[in-house]
Amino acid sequence: MARPTLSDVARLAGVDVSTASRVLRGEAAQRIREETRERIVQVARELDYRANAFARGLRTARSSTLGIVVPQLDNPVFAAAIQGAEAAAAEHGFSLLIAHRAPGARDAGVYKRLSEGNRVDGLLVASLDDDDVLLSELEATETDYVLLNRTLAGARYSVVLDSRAATRIALDHLVSLGHRRIAHLAGRPGGFNAGERLAGYREGLAAHGIGFDPDLVAVAGYTAEGGAAAMRQLIDRKPTAVLAATLVSAAGAMAVLHEAGWRIPQDVSVIGLHDADVATMLYPALTTVRMPTERMGRLATELLVRLVAGESPEGVAPLAPEGLVVRASTGPVAGLGGSLRAPSGEKRR
Amino acid sequence: MARPTLSDVARLAGVDVSTASRVLRGEAAQRIREETRERIVQVARELDYRANAFARGLRTARSSTLGIVVPQLDNPVFAAAIQGAEAAAAEHGFSLLIAHRAPGARDAGVYKRLSEGNRVDGLLVASLDDDDVLLSELEATETDYVLLNRTLAGARYSVVLDSRAATRIALDHLVSLGHRRIAHLAGRPGGFNAGERLAGYREGLAAHGIGFDPDLVAVAGYTAEGGAAAMRQLIDRKPTAVLAATLVSAAGAMAVLHEAGWRIPQDVSVIGLHDADVATMLYPALTTVRMPTERMGRLATELLVRLVAGESPEGVAPLAPEGLVVRASTGPVAGLGGSLRAPSGEKRR
DNA sequence: CTGTTAGCGCATTCAC
DNA sequence: GTGAATGCGCTAACAG
């Protein structure tokens, strides 16, 4: 049998479609006799009735669907964010339409295409594109949106991780182990997170009375090759510790250090920002600062849900790091002997 | 101004909506005067008109949307498949609705929820669930679907990788390096891919005249911890090489080998199935067999697109591996000296 | 070649 | 408390 419609339900329950609609939608002002309501609900259940999404959407101009567009699917940070977004969306009765948008793609319009024809009520957007092009594309959609993992001048809502605080935590850990020559493998120059991390690095240095040495900083971006290249550039400066912006760049750096015959953590400590399974797959297992990436996706989604409901929610502050995960890649600075206790095992997860 | 509708276009072009509809839809039999057509197209462009997806869906009972449901988002294999699916979907004018379904979740109905109310025209399903529960849920949707990365008795269409061939390639590589005591870190027992891989392992062994030793096989599943546990179990059997079902299990195994003081590849070679960035992040960089995971997503999507178009396409054969990627984790068996050439560097990518 | 007509299934006034 | 009527925007016969 074909999918039952509202009028099927109404007919079998002996009521008008409008009554059935009211009941099934759980309308606030329920001026419906209890007996009638029960009959309708009962019939609907028997028929396994579900409202036709198109008809409802056509009528209400709302889709109960959110769009999420990401620059890469294979990035663990975005993967986690998507996972959180999907879960939150489902909890609020929304579906998630996913789209991919290559960084720098001049295809003028994933955002628009998604928002056209009321396909989505709102957009979750992660992007590595420049502020101006992103903003103009977004504004052209005339749709509510929330930025994921970045800020954007001119955009009201974005949910980000507190990269600066995370960097501070990493740096404090290294300093507590006696390190003072700490190299920084930075992210994409000009990028929001990269800037925050560099700021955290400098702040932390200053707080510990360590001078900032620009020769200990190199741009690694977000690839293993980038991390390796940056490390090659810095290795002659003889750092005793390396603070990498991401797991991937940390991995690239570690490969270079291995090749150069440096032992980790005996000769050099390495710490990465963000935590993921790969941290345990590296050798030695990487000490990291865990970040609430999945929660970022959840919060952004919840914000967006309220936004499309017509509310004007408060923005959310940068999400605090969840803490340090000490593994095997960090240890006391060489030459300090037993004066500082070496970390042992994984402290938290 | 509110979003323009078809009748706006028609009015401004001085034609009837039905004519505008025909033109804008690019109807096959275009019995429209060229001049009229141009006028309509022109007006539509000026207004930046887009058909309302709901109205169209309500009328045609088709959504131009596909659903994809995966058991995990953070698995690189699924991430790549999703990426391929999204690209193929976009090329064919479809959108992708993504949903997550925890393995073993008894929530009776992601599939159904997606297919209800014509939200999706078809489903791409990746699942680790048992055949019977999966099949019954899928059949209940009365929607076309294509399985991703697994087979299912009773299901007509599925797109899978040729795990058996991949395992053969890996095994052949190890044997060519002189290895004969080759351990196998297997996947989820009973799983389709795990079975294929084990079969490939046994076939390969037989082909090379090597006896099958059950004590050289352990279940590692798909986690680093699983790989480590399996490796601990096998290390006493003194294998000269380890063939891991996935990158993650390979990583877990490598950690155990490192801890035990085994050098890779001097004392033991390690090879993993599937290829991804993490392979280069491991130490030493992992030799792998590259698989067309993204293409799997593409092909599944293309199959589904044809299916929902009412065609009865041929099924697609298991996707052949893309080849061996020799990195640093495999080398000649110990004791053979220079009699076998060690692989150097990365051979292909 | 183009216009007229008739819904698709639902939510929502407005009556009663 | 419930029913009747209307239209969201579009496509698809059917006329002409």
Side-chain angles (χ1 to χ4, degrees), chain B residues 6 18 21 25 49 52 55-56 59:
Chain B
L6 188 57
S18 61
S21 173
R25 214 150 13 91
Y49 166 79
N52 178 307
R56 175 173 286 172
R59 191 56 235 248

Side-chain angles (χ1 to χ4, degrees), chain B:
Chain B
M1 170 181 133
R3 211 184 293 281
T5 73
L6 188 57
S7 73
D8 291 329
V9 175
R11 184 164 31 74
L12 265 65
V15 299
D16 185 86
V17 292
S18 61
T19 306
S21 173
R22 279 189 275 258
V23 168
L24 264 14
R25 214 150 13 91
E27 206 181 45
Q30 19 195 353
R31 302 139 151 275
I32 308 275
R33 202 190 313 155
E34 190 51 31
E35 178 192 314
T36 313
R37 147 192 268 37
E38 276 173 12
R39 191 153 24 94
I40 294 171
V41 169
Q42 174 62 19
V43 171
R45 186 161 26 226
E46 278 169 13
L47 259 41
D48 194 27
Y49 166 79
R50 312 294 155 142
N52 178 307
F54 295 132
R56 175 173 286 172
L58 180 57
R59 191 56 235 248
T60 62
R62 315 190 76 273
S63 62
S64 289
T65 300
L66 266 21
I68 184 168
V69 4
V70 296
Q72 0 169 351
L73 258 4
D74 53 357
N75 178 318
V77 174
F78 292 130
I82 294 173
Q83 189 142 347
E86 198 275 336
E91 283 166 20
H92 290 274
F94 281 76
S95 301
L96 240 209
L97 217 41
I98 191 168
H100 169 245
R101 210 291 170 123
R106 301 305 303 125
D107 83 346
V110 219
Y111 308 117
K112 196 142 193 215
R113 214 170 311 130
L114 279 175
S115 58
E116 280 163 7
N118 295 322
R119 298 176 58 65
V120 304
D121 293 338
L123 249 21
L124 252 14
V125 0
S127 169
L128 268 18
D129 287 334
D130 290 337
D131 279 28
D132 47 355
V133 329
L134 182 57
L135 187 63
S136 64
E137 279 203 39
L138 250 18
E139 292 302 325
T141 66
E142 299 177 24
T143 306
D144 290 320
Y145 62 90
V146 171
L147 261 1
L148 215 45
N149 201 35
R150 75 169 285 168
T151 53
L152 173 60
R156 173 96 195 273
Y157 294 101
S158 58
V159 180
V160 299
L161 301 171
D162 194 341
S163 302
R164 184 185 297 226
T167 310
R168 284 296 305 268
I169 290 172
L171 195 73
D172 289 353
H173 172 61
L174 295 175
V175 170
S176 78
L177 291 169
H179 296 280
R180 296 183 67 85
R181 289 193 60 75
I182 301 172
H184 178 42
L185 268 31
R188 184 177 60 99
F192 166 73
N193 284 301
E196 286 292 294
R197 283 185 287 238
L198 188 56
Y201 172 73
R202 297 192 65 154
E203 273 177 24
L205 250 24
H208 290 290
I210 305 176
F212 171 69
D213 178 358
D215 287 343
L216 279 174
V217 176
V219 171
Y222 307 109
T223 62
E225 300 76 51
M231 193 66 242
R232 266 183 227 110
Q233 190 179 329
L234 296 179
I235 198 166
D236 291 338
R237 310 291 307 173
K238 308 277 186 241
T240 67
V242 177
L243 196 176
T246 67
L247 293 191
V248 225
S249 52
M254 284 168 76
V256 168
L257 292 167
H258 280 131
E259 283 163 17
W262 294 42
R263 290 165 309 156
I264 303 170
Q266 294 86 345
D267 301 325
V268 60
S269 285
V270 180
I271 190 168
L273 264 27
H274 285 117
D275 190 64
D277 282 346
V278 281
T280 68
M281 296 169 57
L282 300 183
Y283 186 76
L286 192 71
T287 293
T288 63
V289 179
R290 176 182 295 275
M291 302 295 282
T293 39
E294 177 162 352
R295 190 155 157 266
M296 174 171 68
R298 299 193 72 94
L299 288 178
T301 304
E302 281 160 7
L303 205 51
L304 185 55
V305 165
R306 299 186 55 188
L307 222 43
V308 304
E311 302 177 35
S312 297
E314 294 275 305
V316 343
L319 273 32
E322 295 179 316
L324 185 68
V325 185
V326 178
R327 296 200 181 86
S329 68
T330 48
V333 67
L336 260 62
S339 72
L340 281 163
R341 193 168 37 83
S344 58
E346 185 159 321
K347 289 295 176 45
R348 79 184 292 282
R349 187 197 155 91

Side-chain angles (χ1 to χ4, degrees), chain A residues 6 18 21 49 56 59:
Chain A
L6 188 59
S18 59
S21 173
Y49 166 80
R56 174 171 288 175
R59 193 56 234 258

